[in-house]
Amino acid sequence: MADLSPLLPAGIYDLLPPEAEREASLVSKLLATLSAHGYERVEPPLVEFEETLLSGAGTAMATATFRMMDPASHRMIGVRADMTTQIARIAATRLGLAPRPLRLSYAGEVLRTRASETSPERQFGQVGAELIGASAVAADVEVIALAAEALSAVGVKELSVDLTLPTLVPSLVAVYGLGEERAAALRQALDHKDAAAVKEAAGERASEFARLLGAAGPAAAALAALDRLGLPHSAAAELRRLAAVQGGLEASMPELKLTVDPVENRGFEYHSGISFAFFSRGGAGLGELGRGGRYEAGEPEMAEAATGFTFYTDRLLATLSEPRPRPRLLLPLGTDRAVAAALREAGWITLAALEPAKDWRGEARRLRCLYLLEDGVPVKIDA
Amino acid sequence: MSAGLILALPRGRILAEVMPLLRRAGIEPEPAFEDPDSRRLRFSTSEPLLELIRVRSFDVATFVAFGAAELGIAGNDVLMEFDFSEIYAPLDLDIGHCRLMVAARAEAAEPEDPRRWSHVRVATKYPEATRRHFARKGVQAECIKLNGAIELAPRLGLCRHIVDLVDTGETLRANGLVEIEEIARVSARLIVNRPALKTRPEEIGCWIERFRRAVGAPRG
C-alpha cells in the first residue's frame, strides 16, 4: 500500500469537522441575504479558456492564475483565481439580453498560484454579488449596504467599511504631468503610505500628496479635508460622487462605520471608480473580510458600468466566534425509527448504534455524544 | 481583543535613539523596560492603553504585518526587505539614519560593466532587497543570507560583495572594504498595521499625531 501522508501542497488545506460544517452554513446564510435582495445565483465553472478568464478586468489576476493545456482543444485553460470576471463574462454573453440592471450572486472556490505574506491560503472560498448595468450613486450605495447587511446577518461585529478612489491618484498624476517612472515610484510609496518615500517621489508636488495621504481617516472628516485640498476638476468630480455615496450610506445605515482612504490602490488595479474593503475590529489581525468596487464589465468597446463585492469565507470563519455545537444523542441498538425521527425533528443530532454495547454511557462518551437515549428519554452523560 | 494598543520596538543600538523620542511623545515605560537584567518582553507604560514589546528589528515588521502589534518602529531597510502589503509607514521619525550599501574588497572594486557579470555572489542580511537591486541592473545576484558580521565574508572568500547597513563606514574600512553603491537611505519609521488603521482610525491617528509632534519638537 502506498504511504498516505496528511501533507498537502503549500496553502492548500482540508476542512475538518466542525469547520467544514461552519463554512457551509456561513455560505448559505450569506447567499440567503443576497438572494432576498433579488441577486440571482449563477455558477460559473472552475476552469475557462485563458483568453476569457484573463480578459478585461481579469488581466490583473494573470500572474495569480494556474494554467494548463486542455488536451481536448489544445488551448490554454486557466483555473479561476477570482470569480468576478466570470460573472462579467456571463452578463455580457449569455445574459446579454437580460434586462438591466442585472443582479447576480455566486459562491465557489478559487485557486491562486501565490499566497499573500500574511495569509498562506492558495485555495479559498468566495461569496459575492455583482450589480451590472447600473452607474447611479444608488447602485454603489446598494451594494455596500447589501454587503454590510449580509455580514451583520452572519454575526460580524464592529464592521468597518473603507471607501477608496483607485482612480484619484492616476488622474492627479496625469494632471500634474509626472513622468511614468516617477508615477510608478509614487504609486508604490502611496501603497505603503510611506510618507518619506512619497515626499521623495512626488518632488515639487510633495505637499499636495502629503496632504492627500494625511486626509485618510473617518469618512466625514476625511471628505472635509479632501474638499479643502482644492483638487483639479477631474478629481473633484470623483470626490463629489464619493461624498454622495457616503451620504447615501449614512442615511440608510447610520450605524455603519465608514472610513475614507483616497490613495489606496493595491489590489484595486482593475477598478474604475468607488471601491471599498470590509474590516472587522474583532478580526483586525486577519486583514480584509472582503472587498469590491466599480469596474467595467465586458468587452472594452461595449463595456457596462458594474459594481459588486466579494467576501473571503476563510477570513470570515476566522473572525466569527464558534457557535455552540448542537448536542449529539446516541441511540442504542434497536431504537424505534419513528422515535428517532421525532427527536431529529425536535433538533437533536442522532447517532444510531450499529452494534450492541455493554456500557452505553461509555459508548456515548467515546462517540462525543453528550446525551444517551434511555427509556425513550435523552439523558445527559457526565463528562 | 484587547482595548489597548501594542507598540513594537526594535532591540539593539537604535533603541537609544528611540527612547528620547518616546518620552517626547509622552510615553514613559515602566522601570523594568530599561533594566538590563529583566527577562520580560512585554511592558506597560504611563499610557494605560499602550503596551510595549521589544523584539528584533526584522520581527517588528512581522508582528505589525500580522496585527499582533498595531504600531511599531522599523527602518525602511526592513520594510524594503519584506514589502508587506499590510504595513503602512506614515511617519519618518528622522532617527537611526544610515545607508544600505553595496560594498566590496578594495581590489575588487575597479569600475566595470556589471551587466557583463553572469552572476554575483553577495553576502547580506537583506537577500530580497539585494536581489531586487541587482535585478534592476540586469544582474543575477546569488545571495548568501548571514545574520551578522557580514564584513567578514569577503575577506574569508565567501563572496566578493556584501550589502549591509553603513553608518560611518568605519567597520567597512577596518575590514578592507570600500563602498561601491548606495541602494537606499535608511531612517526609522513609525509603522502601522493596515487593518488596525482602518478599524481604529481615531486611536491610531492620535498616536501618529503625537509622534509627529515629537519628531518636530526640540530635542533635549
Side-chain angles (χ1 to χ4, degrees):
Chain A
M1 191 185 122
D3 279 344
L4 267 186
S5 160
L7 290 182
L8 294 169
I12 307 285
Y13 306 101
D14 292 318
L15 275 190
L16 301 180
E19 280 76 26
E21 182 91 41
R22 284 181 61 208
E23 190 192 40
S25 127
L26 169 72
V27 169
S28 77
K29 277 189 211 156
L30 290 170
L31 285 170
T33 305
L34 307 186
S35 150
H37 283 264
Y39 286 74
E40 293 177 298
R41 176 102 183 248
V42 286
E43 192 148 322
L46 268 180
V47 297
E48 287 190 24
F49 290 122
E50 68 168 347
E51 302 95 277
T52 58
L53 195 59
L54 305 178
S55 70
T59 324
M61 297 310 293
T63 58
T65 303
F66 272 96
R67 274 168 272 199
M68 58 196 145
M69 168 81 86
D70 174 17
S73 65
H74 285 207
R75 288 168 66 189
M76 288 304 284
I77 55 178
V79 182
R80 66 185 177 206
D82 197 81
M83 292 175 72
T84 304
T85 3
Q86 296 189 297
I87 310 301
R89 172 184 57 78
I90 291 173
T93 56
R94 310 194 54 194
L95 296 179
L97 296 179
R100 272 24 183 187
L102 188 60
R103 292 178 168 90
L104 299 174
S105 65
Y106 59 89
E109 299 279 315
V110 300
L111 185 65
R112 294 189 177 173
T113 52
R114 282 193 306 254
S116 79
E117 318 95 3
T118 48
S119 59
E121 291 80 8
R122 293 198 295 167
Q123 182 188 336
F124 53 90
Q126 292 190 337
V127 177
E130 307 296 334
L131 176 50
I132 294 148
S135 56
V137 165
D140 297 280
V141 174
E142 170 169 311
V143 293
I144 298 171
L146 171 63
E149 185 183 325
L151 289 174
S152 129
V154 297
V156 171
K157 300 269 182 336
E158 298 192 69
L159 178 67
S160 188
V161 183
D162 192 38
L163 301 172
T164 62
L165 265 183
T167 51
L168 182 66
V169 170
S171 92
L172 287 179
V173 163
V175 171
Y176 293 155
L178 304 178
E180 208 168 294
E181 203 173 312
R182 271 177 66 197
L186 181 61
R187 188 65 279 162
Q188 208 194 347
L190 288 168
D191 281 341
H192 288 106
K193 291 219 182 351
D194 184 336
V198 168
K199 194 172 157 192
E200 195 180 313
E204 70 276 17
R205 296 292 183 182
S207 70
E208 276 96 333
F209 282 102
R211 280 153 67 205
L212 201 60
L213 205 55
L223 284 169
L226 287 169
D227 202 37
R228 284 196 298 274
L229 289 185
L231 293 172
H233 182 71
S234 57
E238 292 270 294
L239 279 180
R240 272 197 300 280
R241 191 182 170 94
L242 183 60
V245 170
Q246 188 254 348
L249 284 169
E250 214 162 61
S252 60
M253 299 189 107
E255 72 293 349
L256 185 62
K257 187 168 172 180
L258 294 171
T259 54
V260 166
D261 187 337
V263 303
E264 186 89 285
N265 180 63
R266 205 192 308 221
F268 287 105
E269 288 84 357
Y270 72 81
H271 285 92
S272 60
I274 290 168
S275 300
F276 42 86
F278 305 101
F279 296 90
S280 153
R281 183 163 161 179
L286 301 156
E288 297 171 13
L289 304 176
R291 57 163 56 187
R294 282 223 161 263
Y295 61 98
E296 301 288 320
E299 298 291 330
E301 57 274 16
M302 41 196 298
E304 290 184 277
T307 181
F309 60 82
T310 303
F311 297 136
Y312 312 124
T313 52
D314 56 331
R315 304 261 182 91
L316 276 171
L317 272 185
T319 305
L320 296 168
S321 51
E322 279 181 50
R324 281 159 64 97
R326 276 163 65 202
R328 289 149 58 97
L329 169 66
L330 180 64
L331 307 177
L333 205 58
T335 300
D336 182 68
R337 286 181 65 87
V339 170
L343 285 162
R344 281 192 295 275
E345 192 68 30
W348 290 94
I349 292 175
T350 63
L351 272 79
L354 301 175
E355 287 174 24
K358 284 204 186 79
D359 170 17
W360 282 113
R361 294 191 161 217
E363 182 67 358
R365 246 174 255 124
R366 188 179 75 80
L367 293 172
R368 293 184 291 111
C369 292
L370 270 181
Y371 292 82
L372 170 69
L373 195 69
E374 283 184 345
D375 305 325
V377 183
V379 176
K380 191 163 186 186
I381 309 288
D382 304 315
Chain B
M1 172 84 210
S2 76
L5 297 170
I6 292 179
L7 170 63
L9 298 178
R11 288 209 294 239
R13 264 186 304 177
I14 176 77
L15 204 54
E17 284 188 78
V18 169
M19 294 315 293
L21 184 72
L22 229 50
R23 297 211 161 90
R24 286 204 298 280
I27 302 165
E28 185 61 44
E30 64 175 310
F33 186 76
E34 287 182 288
D35 174 1
D37 294 330
S38 173
R39 309 289 290 262
R40 287 168 54 195
L41 298 168
R42 189 169 174 175
F43 306 89
S44 63
T45 69
S46 52
E47 291 286 334
L49 292 179
L50 187 73
E51 279 186 279
L52 303 178
I53 59 170
R54 196 163 53 189
V55 296
R56 282 168 180 271
S57 60
F58 277 81
D59 296 342
V60 168
T62 308
F63 273 86
V64 173
F66 283 84
E70 288 81 12
L71 297 158
I73 293 180
N76 52 316
D77 53 327
V78 174
L79 302 181
M80 277 170 72
E81 178 62 17
F82 286 127
D83 196 32
F84 278 127
S85 59
E86 299 299 287
I87 293 183
Y88 288 151
L91 185 62
D92 187 346
L93 296 174
D94 197 23
I95 55 173
H97 289 282
C98 54
R99 295 163 298 151
L100 188 64
M101 300 285 303
V102 185
R105 292 188 70 170
E107 59 270 31
E110 71 277 8
E112 48 182 327
D113 180 0
R115 281 170 301 183
R116 298 192 58 152
W117 303 340
S118 59
H119 76 278
V120 49
R121 192 194 260 185
V122 190
T124 181
K125 258 197 224 181
Y126 304 91
E128 280 308 315
T130 300
R131 230 188 311 275
R132 250 182 287 139
H133 171 74
F134 280 99
R136 270 199 300 273
K137 305 161 78 76
V139 176
Q140 195 142 345
E142 179 196 327
C143 296
I144 301 172
K145 163 95 195 213
L146 294 180
N147 293 307
I150 319 280
E151 295 85 353
L152 262 179
R155 185 171 268 196
L156 299 180
L158 197 57
C159 57
R160 279 168 57 161
H161 294 78
I162 64 166
V163 165
D164 201 11
L165 291 183
V166 176
D167 184 5
T168 59
E170 201 51 54
T171 318
L172 288 185
R173 279 191 292 282
N175 286 283
L177 300 173
V178 294
E179 299 181 359
I180 305 269
E181 195 183 12
E182 178 181 292
I183 298 180
R185 285 177 182 275
V186 173
S187 61
R189 312 288 163 89
L190 180 67
I191 62 171
V192 177
N193 172 254
R194 175 171 170 263
L197 182 65
K198 303 294 188 193
T199 52
R200 307 165 78 171
E202 293 92 352
E203 297 152 77
I204 306 245
C206 163
W207 278 111
I208 295 173
E209 211 34 59
R210 277 174 78 163
F211 273 97
R212 193 188 307 282
R213 283 202 303 272
V215 171
R219 307 182 180 195

